[in-house]
């Protein structure tokens, strides 16, 4: 992460910490998912103009400069060392372990295609299991995108050549 982004993230996380609010509390106040709020504060998502008043109300210590920075298109990246964090490692492991089966079910239920990670919602919830112990629920809610057959008659660049 470059120094400017790291400094911005540190300042945004400081505002959150000073508020004493959780990501879930901020999500409830803004109408966003808790993961998206975290993405905003980590500069992995862009703050949209219609959300500014809600976020400012939820985090009144946010400066106009911070809001302006959050409204810029972010560099969506990750630190390769992040995989060393046990939580991130286990999430990656779960996707690797269950990924092939999830892919098969997507193909079976929807056809040949993928789940979008752009038209996508993600949330983390805490629930009680049947044994009464805390459980983590991670929800991926992505738009289905079918793979298309590559017909030259649908290829705009080929059609333009004929004109």
């Amino acid at each position: 992460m470059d120094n400017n982004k790291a400094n911005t993230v540190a300042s945004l996380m400081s505002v959150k910490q000073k508020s004493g609010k959780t990501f879930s509390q901020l999500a409830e106040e803004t109408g966003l998912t808790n993961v998206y709020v975290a993405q905003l504060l980590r500069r992995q998502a862009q703050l949209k103009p219609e959300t500014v008043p809600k976020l400012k109300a939820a985090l009144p210590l946010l400066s106009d400069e911070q809001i302006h920075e959050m409204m810029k298109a972010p560099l969506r990246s990750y630190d390769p060392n992040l995989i060393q964090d046990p939580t991130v490692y286990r999430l990656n492991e779960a996707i690797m372990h269950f990924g092939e089966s999830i892919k098969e079910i997507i193909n079976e239920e929807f056809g040949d295609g993928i789940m979008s990670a752009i038209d996508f919602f993600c949330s983390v919830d805490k629930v009680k299991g049947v044994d009464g112990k805390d459980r983590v629920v991670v929800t991926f809610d992505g738009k289905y995108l079918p793979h298309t057959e590559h017909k030259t008659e649908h290829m705009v660049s080929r059609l333009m050549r004929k004109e």
Side-chain angles (χ1 to χ4, degrees):
M1 184 184 314
D2 70 45
N3 284 340
N4 185 40
K5 183 174 179 178
N7 291 339
T8 300
V9 169
S11 75
L12 293 171
M13 295 305 283
S14 175
V15 168
K16 178 200 172 283
Q17 182 182 13
K18 289 174 185 169
S19 78
K21 296 177 182 178
T22 66
F23 288 117
S24 293
Q25 289 169 325
L26 293 170
E28 195 167 309
E29 292 180 37
T30 59
L32 303 170
T33 67
N34 54 6
V35 173
Y36 198 79
V37 171
Q39 291 288 88
L40 284 171
L41 297 179
R42 299 208 59 78
R43 288 296 293 127
Q44 293 285 64
Q46 182 181 30
L47 179 61
K48 304 298 183 194
E50 61 272 13
T51 305
V52 171
K54 294 175 188 172
L55 190 62
K56 282 282 283 184
L59 292 171
L61 294 180
L62 281 174
S63 69
D64 289 341
E65 183 181 322
Q66 287 170 315
I67 292 291
H68 178 72
E69 187 65 28
M70 294 173 76
M71 293 180 75
K72 294 178 184 176
L75 173 61
R76 292 171 175 91
S77 60
Y78 72 96
D79 178 348
N81 294 320
L82 188 61
I83 195 69
Q84 295 175 18
D85 177 84
T87 303
V88 174
Y89 177 83
R90 288 291 182 223
L91 285 168
N92 188 59
E93 182 181 50
I95 295 298
M96 297 305 290
H97 180 75
F98 292 101
E100 190 172 8
S101 297
I102 292 168
K103 178 231 183 290
E104 290 294 327
I105 294 167
I106 289 171
N107 292 159
E108 187 176 82
E109 297 286 328
F110 296 91
D112 183 25
I114 63 170
M115 177 181 65
S116 173
I118 295 175
D119 190 342
F120 182 86
F121 301 91
C122 184
S123 64
V124 177
D125 296 291
K126 179 180 177 180
V127 298
K128 289 287 183 197
V130 293
D131 60 0
K133 294 181 181 173
D134 289 341
R135 300 191 64 81
V136 178
V137 177
V138 179
T139 302
F140 288 175
D141 179 344
K143 178 181 179 181
Y144 171 71
L145 302 172
H147 286 290
T148 58
E149 187 173 31
H150 296 203
K151 295 181 178 181
T152 56
E153 66 210 46
H154 297 147
M155 221 173 131
V156 174
S157 61
R158 294 278 172 102
L159 296 173
M160 291 171 47
R161 285 189 208 161
K162 292 179 181 178
E163 293 177 0

